[in-house]
């Protein structure tokens, strides 16, 4: 099966750009299953930087829904405690998805020459794409940016995780155009 079986349009940019879908549940394009794994947590998409130096892992999230759901679930906590716990949960969730994505890519590259040839060796970028822009999610995004960078870069060396960006979906098309390869 060729790597192209995983190519899919990125929904938040209106289908203008494609990347390789990592978390598909479709049988014919299930990257996790092709790697011999179950439904492990992983990012939504993977692509490569234009300079062919970094694997770019893209996770789309609706921070507004996350905030609303979280506030409902933990309404018995004080606001300060809710915010602290929310940051911890969001950080841990995305670190788990990053590690799961690395596992999927490692397993695939060890068994498939097309994946091994496609992937740069040691550098990763993580783009967290937010699909909502409420005032709460913008505040969370601003406060989360530095924490997420530090949280993801600390277990991985700076040389391995060179970029961690949190960007609104409205800027994703431009970022992909400027920094990622075109996938057919």
């Amino acid at each position: 099966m060729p790597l192209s079986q995983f190519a899919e349009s990125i929904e938040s940019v209106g289908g203008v750009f494609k990347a390789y879908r990592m978390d598909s549940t479709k049988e014919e394009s299930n990257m996790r299953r092709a790697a011999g794994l179950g439904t492990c947590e992983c990012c939504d998409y993977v692509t490569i930087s234009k300079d062919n130096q970094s694997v770019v892992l893209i996770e789309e999230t609706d921070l507004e829904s996350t905030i609303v759901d979280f506030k409902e679930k933990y309404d018995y906590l004080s606001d300060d405690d809710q915010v602290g716990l929310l940051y911890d949960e969001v950080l841990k969730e995305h670190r788990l998805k990053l590690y799961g994505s690395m596992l999927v890519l490692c397993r695939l590259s060890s068994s498939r020459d097309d994946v091994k040839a496609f992937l740069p060796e040691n550098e990763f970028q993580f783009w967290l794409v937010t699909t909502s822009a409420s005032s709460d999610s913008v505040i969370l995004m601003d406060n989360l940016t530095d924490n997420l960078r530090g949280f993801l870069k600390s277990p991985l060396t700076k040389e391995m995780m060179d970029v961690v960006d949190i960007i609104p979906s409205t800027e994703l098309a431009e970022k992909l155009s400027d920094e990622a390869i075109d996938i057919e």
Side-chain angles (χ1 to χ4, degrees):
M1 293 186 270
L3 186 58
S4 62
Q5 79 189 64
F6 306 114
E8 197 174 294
S9 295
I10 299 176
E11 293 175 26
S12 64
V13 293
V16 177
F17 292 93
K18 285 186 176 182
Y20 296 111
R21 182 78 178 193
M22 296 195 76
D23 68 348
S24 177
T25 56
K26 297 176 189 171
E27 189 65 34
E28 67 278 1
S29 60
N30 189 324
M31 192 178 280
R32 294 174 290 197
R33 180 169 295 213
L37 299 168
T39 56
C40 67
E41 296 290 327
C42 65
C43 295
D44 294 316
Y45 301 97
V46 63
T47 190
I48 301 298
S49 62
K50 276 192 176 175
D51 64 6
N52 203 32
Q53 296 298 308
S54 297
V55 175
V56 179
L57 297 164
I58 302 170
E59 173 64 21
E60 292 182 305
T61 190
D62 182 352
L63 283 179
E64 181 64 25
S65 290
T66 300
I67 293 168
V68 168
D69 293 346
F70 195 86
K71 285 182 177 181
E72 287 176 8
K73 183 176 181 179
Y74 295 103
D75 65 341
Y76 58 90
L77 294 175
S78 71
D79 287 346
D80 288 343
D81 288 341
Q82 282 183 10
V83 169
L85 189 57
L86 176 61
Y87 284 148
D88 287 345
E89 291 298 312
V90 169
L91 293 173
K92 288 176 186 173
E93 173 189 351
H94 291 96
R95 181 167 62 183
L96 181 61
K97 287 185 176 199
L98 179 65
Y99 288 162
S101 299
M102 290 174 158
L103 176 61
V104 169
L105 294 173
C106 180
R107 298 267 316 217
L108 278 176
S109 67
S110 70
S111 64
R112 295 180 53 160
D113 291 337
D114 62 334
V115 175
K116 187 174 186 170
F118 170 74
L119 295 174
E121 211 161 296
N122 290 321
E123 290 184 20
F124 289 86
Q125 295 184 31
F126 179 72
W127 299 354
L128 180 61
V129 179
T130 59
T131 58
S132 59
S134 72
S135 59
D136 281 346
S137 65
V138 169
I139 291 168
L140 175 62
M141 187 172 73
D142 287 344
N143 291 328
L144 192 60
T145 301
D146 289 335
N147 290 334
L148 186 61
R149 280 189 187 109
F151 194 72
L152 294 177
K153 285 183 175 184
S154 65
L156 305 168
T157 63
K158 181 182 178 189
E159 294 77 25
M160 187 174 194
M161 177 60 66
D162 60 341
V163 174
V164 175
D165 281 336
I166 301 176
I167 57 173
S169 59
T170 55
E171 296 175 18
L172 181 58
E174 182 178 347
K175 188 163 181 72
L176 284 164
S177 178
D178 291 346
E179 299 180 30
I181 64 167
D182 293 328
I183 293 177
E184 299 299 319

